[in-house]
């Protein structure tokens, strides 16, 4: 079992650009959540996808959007990048949307915005 | 709104000594509580969770945590620390289908 995988590992963009991050969930998991972890901070919930729909959303602007595919993999898109978007982006998967389930995290994508 | 507080940025403990990493929470209703560990340049790994039942929860790698409803706390403990336990520890709270809220993390340093 490969666990949760994310790509790319690192990414450097400039302000105003757009970025797409990708995530494949752990085998058997159908729910994917995305988190932003700024340096020295805990992960901040961005949104959760289940059955190809956004089910919950944290306090992030519409510049952050996502998608889930029929095979449960997911993408996170960020438009009009700001310097403050520099962070580690974590994908987590779980079996179902109930957040009483533990989440399995990927290694993250380190995004640097210059 | 739900929240989690981890009052210590860093905890230092000698190898072989017991360790405690503190966590308090605020949520309406009954909480679901979690501890995760993060090693450098890695994602988070699940350690243990409290959903309901016994207040003492046992998890991976010899860790345990005690749920205290009256003090709204969920402290992480281990009887004997290992150098390999050195990492960043996050407490998290959720309530059913609500989003998970993480604390800011506590760096545990186990000194040989």
């Amino acid at each position: 079992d490969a666990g949760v995988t994310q790509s790319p590992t690192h990414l450097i963009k400039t302000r105003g650009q757009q970025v797409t991050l990708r995530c494949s969930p752990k085998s058997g998991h159908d729910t994917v959540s995305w988190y932003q972890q700024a340096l020295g901070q805990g992960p901040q919930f961005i949104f959760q996808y289940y059955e190809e729909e956004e089910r919950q959303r944290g306090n992030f602007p519409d510049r952050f959007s996502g998608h889930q595919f029929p095979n449960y993999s997911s993408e996170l898109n960020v438009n009009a990048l700001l310097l403050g978007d520099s962070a580690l982006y974590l994908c987590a998967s779980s079996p179902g949307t109930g957040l009483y389930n533990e989440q399995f995290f990927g290694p993250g994508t380190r995004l640097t915005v210059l | 709104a739900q929240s989690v507080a981890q009052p210590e940025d860093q905890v230092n403990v000698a190898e072989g000594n017991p360790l405690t990493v503190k966590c308090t929470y605020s949520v309406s209703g009954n909480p679901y509580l979690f501890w995760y560990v993060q090693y450098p340049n890695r994602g988070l790994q699940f350690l243990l969770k409290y959903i309901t039942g016994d207040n003492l929860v046992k998890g991976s790698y010899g860790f345990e945590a005690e749920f205290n409803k009256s003090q709204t706390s969920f402290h992480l403990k281990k009887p004997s620390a290992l150098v390999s336990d050195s990492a960043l520890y996050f407490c998290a709270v959720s309530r059913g289908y609500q989003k998970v809220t993480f604390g800011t993390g506590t760096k545990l340093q186990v000194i040989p």
Side-chain angles (χ1 to χ4, degrees), chain A residues 35 37 40-45 56-59 88 90 97-107 110, chain B residues 32 34 36 38 41-46 49 51 88 90 94-105:
Chain A
Y35 293 84
Q37 185 178 17
Q41 299 296 315
Q44 299 288 316
F45 176 77
Q56 292 189 54
R57 189 179 183 90
N59 296 325
L88 180 67
L90 295 168
T97 57
L99 291 174
Y100 41 78
N101 291 317
E102 60 265 34
Q103 296 182 78
F104 289 77
F105 284 80
R110 175 73 63 185
Chain B
Y32 300 142
F34 304 82
Y36 288 85
Q38 186 175 36
N41 300 314
R42 301 276 295 277
L44 278 69
Q45 295 179 30
F46 169 78
K49 68 179 178 183
I51 302 300
L88 192 55
F90 290 96
S94 74
R95 170 144 164 62
Y97 288 82
Q98 301 304 307
K99 62 174 182 164
V100 178
T101 299
F102 284 82
T104 53

Side-chain angles (χ1 to χ4, degrees), chain A residues 21-92:
Chain A
L21 311 182
R22 295 176 176 82
C23 171
S24 292
K26 181 179 170 63
S27 177
H29 287 184
D30 56 9
T31 302
V32 172
S33 300
W34 286 92
Y35 293 84
Q36 181 194 67
Q37 185 178 17
L39 202 60
Q41 299 296 315
Q44 299 288 316
F45 176 77
I46 303 175
F47 43 53
Q48 181 192 69
Y49 274 84
Y50 172 71
E51 291 188 338
E52 303 180 47
E53 290 188 10
E54 183 182 295
R55 299 292 175 165
Q56 292 189 54
R57 189 179 183 90
N59 296 325
F60 280 81
D62 292 344
R63 298 187 297 109
F64 290 78
S65 64
H67 188 78
Q68 186 179 35
F69 299 93
N71 67 353
Y72 309 124
S73 67
S74 177
E75 290 182 348
L76 164 65
N77 300 293
V78 187
N79 294 323
L81 285 167
L82 304 174
L83 295 178
D85 295 332
S86 295
L88 180 67
Y89 287 85
L90 295 168
C91 169

Side-chain angles (χ1 to χ4, degrees), chain B residues 23-25 33 66-75:
Chain B
C23 170
T24 59
Y25 66 90
L33 295 157
E66 186 168 10
F67 170 63
N68 188 317
K69 188 172 184 177
S70 62
Q71 297 186 5
T72 62
S73 67
F74 190 58
H75 302 329

Side-chain angles (χ1 to χ4, degrees), chain A residues 7-12 108-112, chain B residues 41:
Chain A
S7 63
T9 305
H10 296 86
L11 207 49
I12 299 175
T109 294
R110 175 73 63 185
L111 172 64
T112 302
Chain B
N41 300 314

Side-chain angles (χ1 to χ4, degrees), chain B residues 10-11 24 32 38 42-43 52 59 61 75 82 86:
Chain B
Q10 181 159 335
V11 169
T24 59
Y32 300 142
Q38 186 175 36
R42 301 276 295 277
T52 187
Y61 313 120
H75 302 329
L82 300 173
S86 298

